[in-house]
CSV table of all heavy atoms in Angstrom, one decimal:
chain,number,residue,atom,x,y,z
D,222,ALA,N,7.1,-8.3,13.4
D,222,ALA,CA,7.6,-8.5,12.0
D,222,ALA,C,8.0,-9.9,11.7
D,222,ALA,O,7.8,-10.4,10.5
D,222,ALA,CB,8.7,-7.5,11.7
D,223,ILE,N,8.7,-10.5,12.6
D,223,ILE,CA,9.2,-11.9,12.4
D,223,ILE,C,8.9,-12.7,13.6
D,223,ILE,O,9.1,-12.3,14.7
D,223,ILE,CB,10.7,-11.8,12.2
D,223,ILE,CG1,11.1,-10.8,11.1
D,223,ILE,CG2,11.3,-13.2,11.8
D,223,ILE,CD1,12.6,-10.4,11.1
D,224,PRO,N,8.4,-14.0,13.4
D,224,PRO,CA,8.2,-14.8,14.6
D,224,PRO,C,9.5,-15.0,15.4
D,224,PRO,O,10.5,-15.3,14.8
D,224,PRO,CB,7.7,-16.1,14.0
D,224,PRO,CG,7.2,-15.8,12.6
D,224,PRO,CD,8.0,-14.6,12.2
D,225,PRO,N,9.4,-14.9,16.7
D,225,PRO,CA,10.6,-15.0,17.6
D,225,PRO,C,11.2,-16.4,17.4
D,225,PRO,O,12.5,-16.5,17.5
D,225,PRO,CB,10.1,-14.8,19.0
D,225,PRO,CG,8.6,-15.0,18.9
D,225,PRO,CD,8.2,-14.5,17.6
D,226,GLU,N,10.4,-17.4,17.1
D,226,GLU,CA,11.0,-18.8,16.9
D,226,GLU,C,11.9,-18.8,15.7
D,226,GLU,O,12.9,-19.5,15.7
D,226,GLU,CB,9.8,-19.8,16.8
D,226,GLU,CG,8.9,-19.9,18.0
D,226,GLU,CD,7.9,-18.9,18.1
D,226,GLU,OE1,7.8,-18.0,17.2
D,226,GLU,OE2,7.2,-18.9,19.1
D,227,GLU,N,11.5,-18.0,14.7
D,227,GLU,CA,12.3,-18.0,13.5
D,227,GLU,C,13.7,-17.3,13.8
D,227,GLU,O,14.7,-17.8,13.3
D,227,GLU,CB,11.6,-17.3,12.4
D,227,GLU,CG,12.3,-17.3,11.0
D,227,GLU,CD,11.4,-16.6,10.0
D,227,GLU,OE1,10.2,-16.9,9.9
D,227,GLU,OE2,11.9,-15.8,9.2
D,228,ILE,N,13.6,-16.2,14.5
D,228,ILE,CA,14.9,-15.5,14.8
D,228,ILE,C,15.7,-16.4,15.7
D,228,ILE,O,16.9,-16.4,15.6
D,228,ILE,CB,14.5,-14.2,15.5
D,228,ILE,CG1,13.8,-13.2,14.5
D,228,ILE,CG2,15.8,-13.5,16.0
D,228,ILE,CD1,13.3,-11.9,15.2
D,229,HIS,N,15.1,-17.0,16.7
D,229,HIS,CA,15.8,-17.9,17.6
D,229,HIS,C,16.6,-19.0,16.9
D,229,HIS,O,17.7,-19.3,17.2
D,229,HIS,CB,14.8,-18.5,18.6
D,229,HIS,CG,15.5,-19.3,19.7
D,229,HIS,ND1,15.6,-20.7,19.6
D,229,HIS,CD2,16.0,-19.0,20.9
D,229,HIS,CE1,16.2,-21.1,20.7
D,229,HIS,NE2,16.4,-20.1,21.5
D,230,GLN,N,15.9,-19.6,15.9
D,230,GLN,CA,16.6,-20.7,15.2
D,230,GLN,C,17.8,-20.2,14.4
D,230,GLN,O,18.8,-20.8,14.4
D,230,GLN,CB,15.6,-21.2,14.2
D,230,GLN,CG,16.1,-22.4,13.4
D,230,GLN,CD,15.1,-23.0,12.5
D,230,GLN,OE1,14.0,-22.5,12.3
D,230,GLN,NE2,15.4,-24.1,11.9
D,231,ILE,N,17.7,-19.0,13.8
D,231,ILE,CA,18.8,-18.4,13.1
D,231,ILE,C,20.0,-18.1,14.0
D,231,ILE,O,21.2,-18.4,13.8
D,231,ILE,CB,18.4,-17.2,12.3
D,231,ILE,CG1,17.4,-17.5,11.2
D,231,ILE,CG2,19.6,-16.5,11.7
D,231,ILE,CD1,16.8,-16.4,10.5
D,232,VAL,N,19.7,-17.4,15.2
D,232,VAL,CA,20.7,-17.0,16.1
D,232,VAL,C,21.4,-18.2,16.7
D,232,VAL,O,22.6,-18.2,16.9
D,232,VAL,CB,20.1,-16.1,17.2
D,232,VAL,CG1,21.1,-15.8,18.3
D,232,VAL,CG2,19.5,-14.8,16.6
D,233,MET,N,20.6,-19.3,17.1
D,233,MET,CA,21.2,-20.4,17.7
D,233,MET,C,22.1,-21.2,16.8
D,233,MET,O,22.9,-22.0,17.2
D,233,MET,CB,20.1,-21.4,18.2
D,233,MET,CG,19.3,-20.8,19.4
D,233,MET,SD,20.3,-20.4,20.8
D,233,MET,CE,20.9,-22.0,21.3
D,234,SER,N,22.1,-20.9,15.5
D,234,SER,CA,23.0,-21.6,14.5
D,234,SER,C,24.4,-21.0,14.5
D,234,SER,O,25.3,-21.5,13.9
D,234,SER,CB,22.4,-21.6,13.1
D,234,SER,OG,22.3,-20.3,12.6
D,235,VAL,N,24.5,-19.8,15.2
D,235,VAL,CA,25.8,-19.1,15.2
D,235,VAL,C,26.7,-19.7,16.3
D,235,VAL,O,26.3,-19.9,17.5
D,235,VAL,CB,25.6,-17.6,15.5
D,235,VAL,CG1,27.0,-16.9,15.6
D,235,VAL,CG2,24.8,-17.0,14.4
D,236,SER,N,27.9,-20.0,16.0
D,236,SER,CA,28.9,-20.6,16.9
D,236,SER,C,29.1,-19.6,18.1
D,236,SER,O,29.4,-18.4,17.9
D,236,SER,CB,30.2,-20.9,16.2
D,236,SER,OG,31.2,-21.4,17.1
D,237,GLY,N,29.1,-20.2,19.3
D,237,GLY,CA,29.3,-19.4,20.5
D,237,GLY,C,28.1,-18.9,21.2
D,237,GLY,O,28.1,-18.4,22.3
D,238,VAL,N,26.9,-19.0,20.6
D,238,VAL,CA,25.7,-18.6,21.2
D,238,VAL,C,25.1,-19.8,22.0
D,238,VAL,O,25.0,-20.9,21.6
D,238,VAL,CB,24.6,-18.2,20.1
D,238,VAL,CG1,23.3,-18.0,20.7
D,238,VAL,CG2,25.1,-17.0,19.3
Side-chain angles (χ1 to χ4, degrees):
I223 308 164
E226 295 82 5
E227 185 176 317
I228 296 175
H229 184 268
Q230 183 178 6
I231 294 172
V232 173
M233 292 302 295
S234 67
V235 176
S236 177
V238 173

